[in-house]
Amino acid sequence: MTRSITRLIGTPALAALLVLPVAPALAAPAEVSLTGEGKVRYIPDSARLSFTVTAEHEDSDKAISEVRAVMERWRESITDIRDQLVDYSDASAHLYQRQHHPRNGESEEPKTIAVASQTVSFEVHDLTLLNPVLTRAQDLGMNYNLGQHQFFHSDEEQLQQDALAKAISNARDRCQFAAEQLGMDCGEVKSLNLQSSGGGPIMMRMQEASATADTVSEVGPRDINATVQATFTME
């Protein structure tokens, strides 16, 4: 029996199987997934503005004439700063009719009232112009709304990129820290997901519109926040 086993082992085919080393399974490289954060704070330097002139009259021609008169005075009032008003337009004009119904106890018949309006819109890229423009609009009885969404920075695209760069750098720093704790090195980026958002609330104090009031007394900082979801190899 012993001789038979010896003769079997000595065959070339089985001997080759016995001497071939078993190849170890390839281990997947270690990875770490983490979040990087970046923030850029800035002060808005520009604003988008819109003003509207409105007049009502039973005679539509008179309503239109009143609006035209105010618009002429407006154009005269901004002569000295007209070239600093960017993307200026005052071509938006409207005319419609509404029914005026007498109040209880009044014997008058319902009247048709013509409502004429014209809107002026533009941007200012120098906020020192803001209060002078608002004051001139107030003097003429023009209507407007001023909110945080109308303020912006003239180079917000670059600010977004700066925030993302900070977030990527922060992600790399966190990877290096994790690698040091494990006695390893932070390797290549396997995946990267970028996200950014801007426009925290503007700290803005406003007073009621009047001919003598400075409408805006302070425009505060805004933040652009960026985050990255990154996966790095660990070596």
Side-chain angles (χ1 to χ4, degrees):
M1 184 67 175
T2 303
R3 277 179 204 163
S4 298
I5 294 174
T6 304
R7 284 199 298 270
L8 184 60
I9 293 176
T11 61
L14 188 56
L17 290 175
L18 291 175
V19 299
L20 283 176
V22 178
L26 295 177
E31 296 180 353
V32 59
S33 296
L34 44 80
T35 299
E37 299 175 346
K39 180 172 73 173
V40 172
R41 174 160 290 190
Y42 68 96
I43 302 293
D45 63 4
S46 304
R48 299 179 182 92
L49 303 175
S50 179
F51 304 95
T52 301
V53 179
T54 303
E56 298 184 4
H57 204 281
E58 294 180 30
D59 186 334
S60 59
D61 290 338
K62 290 185 177 180
I64 293 172
S65 295
E66 289 182 19
V67 169
R68 286 177 176 170
V70 174
M71 286 301 303
E72 287 300 320
R73 291 167 58 194
W74 162 257
R75 294 187 184 105
E76 292 174 2
S77 73
I78 62 170
T79 301
D80 59 326
I81 59 172
R82 174 62 184 82
D83 60 346
Q84 299 179 68
L85 307 183
V86 181
D87 295 333
Y88 180 92
S89 174
D90 59 15
S92 178
H94 302 275
L95 176 66
Y96 67 93
Q97 294 180 332
R98 65 174 181 83
Q99 292 294 316
H100 171 71
H101 296 278
R103 298 178 181 177
N104 294 336
E106 295 181 351
S107 59
E108 297 179 3
E109 294 293 327
K111 295 179 181 179
T112 300
I113 303 296
V115 181
S117 65
Q118 192 160 348
T119 299
V120 180
S121 61
F122 54 88
E123 295 180 0
V124 290
H125 293 176
D126 177 2
L127 290 185
T128 62
L129 294 172
L130 184 59
N131 282 335
V133 167
L134 295 179
T135 299
R136 296 174 200 197
Q138 292 164 8
D139 289 343
L140 296 173
M142 302 174 81
N143 299 316
Y144 64 89
N145 289 309
L146 190 63
Q148 64 166 348
H149 63 284
Q150 292 167 254
F151 290 86
F152 64 98
H153 195 280
S154 56
D155 197 9
E156 283 195 13
E157 183 176 353
Q158 182 61 53
L159 296 176
Q160 293 274 0
Q161 293 178 0
D162 292 344
L164 286 171
K166 289 186 175 183
I168 293 172
S169 178
N170 180 246
R172 172 62 73 176
D173 290 344
R174 290 182 175 183
C175 178
Q176 295 283 13
F177 173 79
E180 290 174 4
Q181 302 307 305
L182 298 170
M184 303 176 73
D185 293 322
C186 181
E188 297 180 351
V189 178
K190 297 285 289 184
S191 65
L192 190 67
N193 181 27
L194 307 177
Q195 296 180 346
S196 65
S197 62
I202 293 180
M203 308 298 292
M204 181 170 59
R205 291 200 296 267
M206 301 178 63
Q207 299 175 355
E208 292 184 3
S210 68
T212 59
D214 287 336
T215 306
V216 177
S217 59
E218 180 181 353
V219 177
R222 302 180 78 171
D223 292 335
I224 292 179
N225 297 291
T227 59
V228 299
Q229 301 291 333
T231 299
F232 295 87
T233 60
M234 301 292 281
E235 301 172 350

